[in-house]
Amino acid sequence: MDGVKINLKVNGQDISREVDSRLLLSDFIRESLYLTGTHIGCEHGVCGACTIHVNGDPVRSCLMLAVQADGCEVKTVESLIQENGKLNYLQQAFSDNHALQCGFCTPGFLMTVSGFLEENSKPSEDEIKKCISGNLCRCTGYSNIIKAVKQAAQTVSN
Amino acid sequence: MKPAKFNYLRPSSLEEAVHYLSEYGEDAKILSGGQSLIPLLNMRLSTPKYLIDIGRAEGLSYIQEEGESLVIGALTKHREIEKSELVKEKCPLLSEAIRWVGHEQIRNRGTVGGSIAHGDPSAELPCVLTALRGEVVIADVNGEEIVSPEDFFLTYMLTSLQPDQLVKEIRFPILKQTSGSAFVEVARRHGDFGLVEVAAVVDLSEDGSFSEVKLAIGGVNSVPTALGDVERLLVGKEPTEESYKDASVLTMEMIEPESDLHGTAEYRRELSGTMVIRALKQATIRAQGGRVM
Ligand SMILES: Cc1cc2nc3c(=O)[nH]c(=O)nc-3n(C[C@H](O)[C@H](O)[C@H](O)COP(=O)(O)OP(=O)(O)OC[C@H]3O[C@@H](n4cnc5c(N)ncnc54)[C@H](O)[C@@H]3O)c2cc1C
Ligand code: FES
Ligand code: FES
């Protein structure tokens, strides 16, 4: 039928699969690769829960077809953890600052912010606010998330 | 799986893409960055039989200077424009406006051609293109044609594009070094579509009066609208509170906003008047050599 062969790298690992062309990248990641850290909230690009990196840039995985990721390098929230199993600086900053409650939005925030800090390690508060404006959190409120990003930025720039 | 079934085609060149369009155009949709189309597929508001993914078509992503224009390939991503030094230098209005397009995650995938072809009346790029009187280059199997924004944008989400045509490139006129420009917008949250947005470019003559004004407004009519009468009203006048006020009053007369969930028609009209003043003031200060934060 209309199965399409795709080859991509996910969190450093080469993956080769045949997928239905209408399969969303978010569903491919969760249901074919069992990487369930990538969350799905709205499926129309508004909430940011499904944010991952494609070729180094934060994007919405619910607004991409799996076939569009053919040949790309994908990173999900599972890639953040350090090799020794400890939280990385950003995850630690979220934990230290109580920047999550239910945690549903957290993977999206982490992937948005990690891309942002790579480009701008000394962001102003206003820049931080703009950066996270595309991610919705319904429980924590944004103050602690902003604090966490500031702590993480401090760690990166030191 | 959210989207309905479709046949997936991935042309590797413009020629191949227009060939598919000539064959399947009526039943097909072009997929570019997908930032507007995939939500429509996910909600099954769009159920094309064929999806022509031009994302990998070669030679459609570029930003270059050609004569009096900055020529931008349809597949160029919003983020590339945002980061481009050439755009900053030649068309600062575009650099300023592009940051208002969605959030970074959206700008990383959304394309210029997609924004223009989608024809959302509150999208930023159509408003800039209209203010500058730029050009849309359209391609089909028979060749290319150039269309003005006025002829291109017909009404909400409807453009003059025929089923067998695609947007190949957009031409934004280069701004004079002496001109000042500004893009202002009010949205409910940064990254959301604007309630009202205004793009302005002004040039001043030696005596300080307006020698040229370009002005367009988005979010209030069914298409982005060039405010020709306001432009003519201002040329020859001094940039005073009075002329700003006259411009604002005339703008409010010229537009036909509608009410929706996000704001009433009256609110949009008032806001438009205010935004025109704000854009003109910022552009004028910049033309006078000042900085506006
Ligand atoms: C949460 C969110 C917020 C957003 N906020 C804004 C905003 O504030 N301002 C704004 O301007 N946009 C906004 N967008 C839309 C986004 O900017 C898209 O980049 C843009 O509207 C479409 O570009 P695309 O390349 O993704 O097009 P696609 O989604 O791929 O296509 C959009 C439409 O254009 C057609 N098309 C695409 N390319 C071509 C072409 N070259 N020739 C002919 N037809 C073509 C497609 O068939 C489809 O009908 C937002 C999107 C989301 C999800
Ligand atoms: S699930 Fe992708 S943005 Fe909400
Ligand atoms: S922590 Fe619950 S949605 Fe953000």
Side-chain angles (χ1 to χ4, degrees), chain A residues 43-45 62-63, chain B residues 2-4 29 34-48 118 157:
Chain A
E43 266 181 341
H44 50 273
C62 73
L63 297 190
Chain B
K2 293 277 160 165
K29 269 274 170 203
Q35 304 302 290
S36 295
L37 183 59
I38 295 192
L40 296 176
L41 297 177
N42 284 349
M43 292 184 265
R44 299 208 179 183
L45 292 171
S46 178
T47 53
H118 194 55
M157 316 283 193

Side-chain angles (χ1 to χ4, degrees), chain A residues 45, chain B residues 29-30 32-37 78 101-102 110-111 117 123-124 167 193:
Chain B
K29 269 274 170 203
I30 297 255
S32 183
Q35 304 302 290
S36 295
L37 183 59
H78 301 319
V101 178
T111 68
E124 290 78 7
V167 173
F193 277 102

Side-chain angles (χ1 to χ4, degrees), chain A residues 6-10 13-17 25 28 33 66 69-74:
Chain A
I6 59 171
N7 297 296
L8 67 167
K9 201 174 249 207
V10 180
Q13 202 186 328
D14 288 317
I15 307 268
S16 185
R17 292 288 155 88
L25 182 56
F28 175 71
L33 305 181
D70 184 22
C72 293
E73 197 159 322
V74 168

Side-chain angles (χ1 to χ4, degrees), chain A:
Chain A
M1 240 199 30
D2 52 2
V4 183
K5 182 96 183 280
I6 59 171
N7 297 296
L8 67 167
K9 201 174 249 207
V10 180
N11 301 337
Q13 202 186 328
D14 288 317
I15 307 268
S16 185
R17 292 288 155 88
E18 194 167 302
V19 296
D20 197 330
S21 52
R22 63 181 167 138
L23 182 68
L24 296 175
L25 182 56
S26 44
D27 289 334
F28 175 71
I29 289 170
R30 288 179 56 87
E31 289 166 20
S32 301
L33 305 181
Y34 307 113
L35 293 168
T36 51
T38 301
H39 289 174
I40 295 171
C42 64
E43 266 181 341
H44 50 273
V46 178
C47 74
C50 68
T51 304
I52 57 163
H53 292 190
V54 172
N55 294 338
D57 297 320
V59 303
R60 311 285 208 218
S61 59
C62 73
L63 297 190
M64 257 182 98
L65 300 170
V67 287
Q68 287 178 287
D70 184 22
C72 293
E73 197 159 322
V74 168
K75 283 207 166 129
T76 67
V77 70
E78 285 86 353
S79 70
L80 294 183
I81 198 94
Q82 297 188 64
E83 267 169 28
N84 60 13
K86 292 218 165 99
L87 300 182
N88 86 345
Y89 70 97
L90 184 58
Q91 295 168 310
Q92 193 60 51
F94 268 62
S95 170
D96 292 348
N97 292 281
H98 306 287
L100 64 150
Q101 286 182 50
C102 79
F104 188 80
C105 68
T106 312
F109 272 96
L110 293 173
M111 295 314 279
T112 295
V113 173
S114 65
F116 168 70
L117 289 178
E118 269 166 37
E119 281 190 15
N120 182 358
S121 61
K122 289 192 176 135
S124 66
E125 181 152 333
D126 193 47
E127 286 171 326
I128 294 175
K129 284 184 184 163
K130 276 205 178 126
C131 157
I132 60 174
S133 70
N135 290 70
L136 295 180
C137 173
R138 34 175 204 161
C139 20
T140 308
Y142 290 75
S143 312
N144 288 351
I145 298 178
I146 293 168
K147 271 190 223 153
V149 179
K150 282 186 184 161
Q151 175 182 322
Q154 203 115 47
T155 318
V156 191
S157 56
N158 279 341

Side-chain angles (χ1 to χ4, degrees), chain B:
Chain B
M1 257 176 286
K2 293 277 160 165
K5 269 192 186 307
F6 51 75
N7 291 302
Y8 178 75
L9 302 166
R10 189 197 280 165
S12 56
S13 66
L14 176 70
E15 291 69 36
E16 206 181 329
V18 291
H19 170 75
Y20 282 138
L21 275 177
S22 74
E23 202 144 322
Y24 307 118
E26 295 283 350
D27 295 321
K29 269 274 170 203
I30 297 255
L31 173 67
S32 183
Q35 304 302 290
S36 295
L37 183 59
I38 295 192
L40 296 176
L41 297 177
N42 284 349
M43 292 184 265
R44 299 208 179 183
L45 292 171
S46 178
T47 53
K49 274 198 203 140
Y50 295 88
L51 198 65
I52 307 176
D53 177 2
I54 59 169
R56 306 284 172 100
E58 300 235 340
L60 283 177
S61 173
Y62 49 86
I63 304 176
Q64 61 207 28
E65 197 179 339
E66 257 180 56
E68 308 283 290
S69 298
L70 205 55
V71 173
I72 304 189
L75 276 185
T76 311
K77 303 226 159 58
H78 301 319
R79 275 291 273 177
E80 292 168 50
I81 294 184
E82 192 176 345
K83 289 182 182 166
S84 161
E85 288 301 323
L86 187 66
V87 176
K88 219 172 277 171
E89 191 194 325
K90 303 290 174 185
C91 195
L93 178 66
L94 185 54
S95 295
E96 191 173 18
I98 203 83
R99 289 181 217 129
W100 288 94
V101 178
H103 313 283
E104 185 185 323
Q105 300 103 317
I106 309 290
R107 296 197 295 276
N108 276 329
R109 292 215 42 92
T111 68
V112 175
S115 269
I116 298 294
H118 194 55
D120 190 314
S122 24
E124 290 78 7
L125 292 184
C127 182
V128 169
L129 192 71
T130 301
L132 297 178
R133 292 6 180 224
E135 294 171 336
V136 184
V137 182
I138 290 172
D140 59 28
V141 279
N142 301 315
E144 293 179 10
E145 78 181 282
I146 293 176
V147 182
S148 71
E150 212 181 347
D151 291 335
F152 185 76
F153 299 113
L154 301 181
T155 182
Y156 295 99
M157 316 283 193
L158 187 72
T159 69
S160 71
L161 273 182
Q162 297 302 307
D164 63 344
Q165 293 183 317
L166 60 70
V167 173
K168 184 196 161 201
E169 106 188 351
I170 323 289
R171 299 183 177 167
F172 293 92
I174 289 175
L175 298 183
K176 285 185 224 147
Q177 288 294 331
T178 51
S179 63
S181 63
F183 187 90
V184 298
E185 173 169 325
V186 167
R188 288 162 70 238
R189 155 179 86 143
H190 183 88
D192 285 358
F193 277 102
L195 287 170
V196 175
E197 66 219 9
V198 176
V201 185
V202 308
D203 267 283
L204 302 172
S205 37
E206 295 217 332
D207 65 6
S209 63
F210 292 115
S211 57
E212 203 181 342
V213 179
K214 285 180 174 164
L215 207 55
I217 191 160
V220 290
N221 291 344
S222 62
V223 289
T225 310
L227 298 170
D229 287 348
V230 184
E231 296 170 352
R232 283 185 285 278
L233 173 85
L234 288 169
V235 170
K237 290 214 180 138
E238 303 278 326
T240 59
E241 290 299 329
E242 200 192 334
S243 22
Y244 293 135
K245 182 83 191 148
D246 291 345
S248 155
V249 170
L250 185 56
T251 301
M252 290 193 282
E253 281 170 18
M254 286 175 65
I255 55 172
E256 287 166 7
E258 284 181 24
S259 299
D260 67 11
L261 205 61
H262 309 305
T264 60
E266 294 73 35
Y267 171 66
R268 279 200 161 88
R269 192 183 298 279
E270 281 291 320
L271 187 58
S272 302
T274 308
M275 300 288 280
V276 161
I277 298 182
R278 209 178 281 173
L280 284 169
K281 276 191 180 169
Q282 279 192 17
T284 306
I285 292 172
R286 285 171 179 163
Q288 289 163 338
R291 289 193 141 267
V292 186
M293 291 312 287

